[in-house]
Amino acid sequence: MLGHLESIRLREEADLLKPGLTDVQKQEISWKAQQERAKRVGDTARMMPVGSDVRLYFMNMKEAEELKADQMRKRYKLNFMGEEERAREEATLARHAKYDAAKEIFRADNPLSHEDAVWKHPKTQHTLVNVGRAYMGGTKPMYIFEDKEAPIIRDGKIVGYKQYLFKEAINCLGFHKASGALVTEAAASLQDMLCGSYSIPAFAAVQADGKVLGSFQERLDLMQEDRRVGLFKWQADPQNSGITIPPDMKKEILREHTLDWLLCNFDTKGENFLHRPDGHISSFDKEASFGKIKDEEAAHMSTTYKPHSNDTLYNTIFTEYAEGRIDLDLSANREQIEIVMNMSDEKYMGLFSNMLDEKYGKTGKKRQEMEDLIRGRKQNLLAEYKRFYSELIERRSNALGREATDDPNYSYVHERLDQLGQAQQAPGAAS
């Protein structure tokens, strides 16, 4: 292996000495050489006996080389971003670098964060096998697990296996934190109820002794890159991105807004949406849910509340609507509102019991306070949407110089939502 690594180094040095190269071309050469180094170490690791110390040693070396290659790839991609998009990404990379430095000190070993580690799927009982680290952004380490009992077959041939993403139960600094994995599991259950086939199945990995190791989330296929709607790029500069969000996608963003509002999740950026091969979208990464639920500004929908470093996609899209620059069908999430209104408080709160048990215990003042806040978001959902949508229509009407009653969404907000509320209050309606 050492001979191969030396050969890669010498070839990289020779390529960098070629005349006329730009700095960007040099970046690409070094990045690809680093990728090759990581692959070579990985090939060596997989030649070693499964479960041996030497295999684990080389697997750890492989991951270190892959991390270096991923950082170089991200820096290389900055060269092809617009000014606004690049500024956001550079800030993100700088922030993540600080977190990575802290995790080097505080992160403890996780038994599932090694290639070859296994875990049983709680529903299918299939064995999931760690096949390597995933490099998809975020501040916490993620690994790809494959279900070898669920092959993907095309033209009569096995082309892969169903995959899951495992995220460690730690905070951004590397300290153990179980609540993120448990809220991921709860959020997945709520997303399934609200979004149906556009949800992303997820579950927490909990040891027999009760320790939460992390969360598993089913990995979805993506629309091919040249056909995806770049919500990250659009959000960075909506007026000048050159991207138009299709009407059906706008409706799905409103659908996901209901989910994130209920979860008190203000960390859903444009890059936290997956554009699926069938054209639909799904939102992911709900670990920040309920983290800001006690903030006064978090109690009411707005276009300005921004508790995290990056703004939410929802703030951007609702602002663009209020300023008259895009159209929205505000009735798009009526189905989700009705689902929540027709769900009993008991069933709803049951989704979050494991998370609340872990963080606050089964009883006590803090537990009761959190339950009241979570339940309150459900019970006030309709009233909050009516208030917020009314404000948006008023702002939009002022921006466009017309009467609010002329807005296509006016009758929905001021008549149909009222009817929905009256039906909910009628005798026999679900509590």
Side-chain angles (χ1 to χ4, degrees):
M1 183 189 74
L2 293 178
H4 288 295
L5 294 180
E6 180 65 11
S7 175
I8 294 169
R9 185 186 68 79
L10 292 173
R11 187 169 66 252
E12 177 188 4
E13 290 180 353
D15 287 343
L16 289 172
L17 291 174
K18 291 178 181 178
L21 291 177
T22 65
D23 289 342
V24 174
Q25 289 172 323
K26 290 178 180 179
Q27 271 187 291
E28 184 177 11
I29 289 169
S30 294
W31 159 45
K32 290 186 174 178
Q34 182 59 34
Q35 279 187 312
E36 195 175 349
R37 274 189 283 272
K39 183 180 183 305
R40 178 59 61 181
V41 176
D43 290 343
T44 301
R46 293 185 184 95
M47 292 170 60
M48 306 301 169
V50 175
S52 65
D53 290 342
V54 67
R55 182 180 175 106
L56 181 61
Y57 172 82
F58 280 111
M59 284 294 186
N60 289 337
M61 184 187 297
K62 171 188 75 81
E63 184 172 317
E65 297 295 334
E66 287 175 342
L67 279 168
K68 195 180 300 182
D70 185 60
Q71 291 163 358
M72 294 170 73
R73 176 186 65 83
K74 290 175 180 174
R75 287 290 171 189
Y76 172 71
K77 285 181 66 178
L78 289 174
N79 296 295
F80 306 99
M81 294 180 178
E83 185 176 344
E84 293 288 334
E85 188 181 9
R86 177 177 179 140
R88 285 184 62 201
E89 185 66 10
E90 285 181 328
T92 297
L93 292 178
R95 188 171 67 255
H96 286 192
K98 293 178 182 178
Y99 291 145
D100 289 343
K103 284 195 285 289
E104 285 292 321
I105 301 171
F106 302 117
R107 180 186 171 202
D109 181 66
N110 188 306
L112 294 183
S113 297
H114 300 286
E115 197 157 328
D116 305 323
V118 297
W119 191 258
K120 285 280 188 184
H121 192 293
K123 290 185 178 179
T124 66
Q125 292 301 301
H126 290 185
T127 298
L128 310 181
V129 182
N130 186 327
V131 295
R133 186 153 174 170
Y135 299 94
M136 306 173 70
T139 60
K140 299 170 187 176
M142 289 195 296
Y143 294 83
I144 300 170
F145 278 69
E146 286 188 341
D147 182 350
K148 301 296 186 181
E149 298 175 71
I152 299 170
I153 300 174
R154 296 195 184 106
D155 300 324
K157 296 180 180 179
I158 296 176
V159 296
Y161 298 90
K162 189 172 186 177
Q163 293 186 335
Y164 295 80
L165 294 172
F166 170 74
K167 182 186 287 189
E168 292 183 5
I170 58 175
N171 64 14
C172 58
L173 299 177
F175 293 104
H176 182 259
K177 183 181 178 182
S179 58
L182 295 174
V183 79
T184 294
E185 182 176 66
S189 296
L190 182 59
Q191 187 180 42
D192 181 55
M193 293 176 178
L194 298 184
C195 308
S197 59
Y198 308 125
S199 60
I200 306 177
F203 60 90
V206 185
Q207 290 185 147
D209 62 1
K211 183 176 181 179
V212 179
L213 298 178
S215 62
F216 282 89
Q217 179 176 281
E218 190 173 316
R219 189 176 187 182
L220 303 182
D221 290 333
L222 301 179
M223 175 80 75
Q224 60 191 61
E225 190 167 359
D226 60 346
R227 294 180 58 201
R228 291 179 210 161
V229 175
L231 292 176
F232 173 78
K233 185 176 181 180
W234 177 84
Q235 187 185 354
D237 192 1
Q239 287 96 58
N240 302 305
S241 66
I243 295 171
T244 299
I245 304 177
D248 285 346
M249 185 172 288
K250 292 176 188 174
K251 292 179 180 180
E252 295 196 324
I253 291 172
L254 264 64
R255 177 195 72 203
E256 300 291 333
H257 177 261
T258 305
L259 172 68
D260 280 317
W261 173 256
L262 289 166
L263 294 171
C264 195
N265 178 33
F266 295 95
D267 194 34
T268 304
K269 310 171 283 293
E271 56 266 46
N272 289 146
F273 290 83
L274 299 177
H275 194 178
R276 302 157 65 122
D278 59 7
H280 296 283
I281 60 170
S282 299
S283 67
F284 67 95
D285 193 3
K286 309 301 182 185
E287 284 201 0
S289 297
F290 306 120
K292 305 297 180 180
I293 199 167
K294 295 182 181 180
D295 284 9
E296 186 176 346
E297 289 182 87
H300 298 289
M301 296 179 190
S302 74
T303 59
T304 56
Y305 181 55
K306 177 190 163 186
H308 302 287
S309 54
N310 290 319
D311 209 351
T312 68
L313 179 70
Y314 308 122
N315 280 358
T316 306
I317 201 167
F318 283 131
T319 296
E320 291 299 296
Y321 169 76
E323 295 299 323
R325 290 189 286 265
I326 65 170
D327 295 326
L328 288 177
D329 177 3
L330 298 183
S331 70
N333 56 356
R334 175 171 174 163
E335 179 184 352
Q336 284 67 47
I337 295 172
E338 290 191 62
I339 290 172
V340 174
M341 292 178 65
N342 291 325
M343 192 186 309
S344 71
D345 287 354
E346 183 180 17
K347 180 178 179 180
Y348 183 79
M349 292 305 298
L351 298 174
F352 309 107
S353 59
N354 289 339
M355 176 198 77
L356 292 169
D357 287 350
E358 169 67 31
K359 197 165 184 179
Y360 302 103
K362 294 185 180 296
T363 60
K365 184 178 179 180
K366 290 185 177 180
R367 165 72 180 244
Q368 189 60 53
E369 180 185 11
M370 185 58 66
E371 282 190 5
D372 291 343
L373 288 169
I374 294 173
R375 187 185 299 107
R377 293 181 88 82
K378 171 191 179 293
Q379 294 175 339
N380 297 330
L381 183 66
L382 179 64
E384 194 58 35
Y385 265 121
K386 183 176 179 181
R387 181 201 60 77
F388 179 53
Y389 281 174
S390 297
E391 287 182 3
L392 292 180
I393 291 171
E394 191 66 34
R395 286 171 57 188
R396 181 179 176 84
S397 299
N398 291 336
L400 296 177
R402 69 185 186 193
E403 295 295 323
T405 52
D406 293 333
D407 192 286
N409 287 303
Y410 185 88
S411 62
Y412 167 71
V413 173
H414 292 277
E415 294 175 17
R416 297 183 68 189
L417 286 185
D418 280 343
Q419 294 169 1
L420 186 59
Q422 290 165 6
Q424 180 69 17
Q425 295 170 11
S431 62

